[in-house]
Amino acid sequence: MTVNGAAVALCFLLREVDGVPQVLLGLKKTGFGRGKIVGIGGHVEAGESDAEAAIREVREEADVGVRHEDLRDAGVVRFVFPAKPEWNMDTRLFTAARWEGEPTESAEIAPAWFDTATLPVDRMWQDADHWLPVVLEGGKVNIVVTMDDDNEAVASSESLLF
């Protein structure tokens, strides 16, 4: 991934309960995005691959073990914050339908399962409905989301070809 902003990796754990697809998201308790429902993940550290970062972040934030071979590459979202360029992010997305352990709350995230058909978009970053449903349906995205000057609303989103 070409990094114009911070390298970030997110992993969406998927399951079915009584035939209803669900995704693990979390209430962000600290730092960037505090108070929002977000995907599980965070910054890619030096010397770490995107997949390694996703695996580490899921362990740190939700106490769940994911194996590299159980990750599915779901694409990339580049977030552009013209009013606050230091917030720009190049985000690699993964999903996983297999893992070990039960999600538990950490200092950073309070994880919870949500039906994929009724995502809590009113409590998430406003960009989520531009790309997350595609990812949760098994698709792969390559999108640039440009945020408005308020750093909340989406000014534009553009899908790119791979």
Side-chain angles (χ1 to χ4, degrees), residues 84-99:
K84 205 156 179 106
E86 63 271 23
W87 285 7
N88 290 355
M89 287 178 275
D90 287 331
T91 306
R92 173 70 65 185
L93 309 173
F94 297 95
T95 62
R98 292 178 46 168
W99 62 88

Side-chain angles (χ1 to χ4, degrees), residues 3 17 26 28 49-50 76 87 102 105 112 126 152:
V3 179
V17 174
K28 189 81 161 72
S49 72
D50 294 340
V76 178
W87 285 7
E102 281 299 314
E105 189 167 340
Q126 289 185 16
E152 290 282 336

Side-chain angles (χ1 to χ4, degrees), residues 5 9 20 25 29 37 41 47 65 83-84 92 110 112 136 158:
V20 177
L25 301 171
K29 295 165 46 178
I37 302 289
K84 205 156 179 106
R92 173 70 65 185
L136 299 180
E158 177 186 6

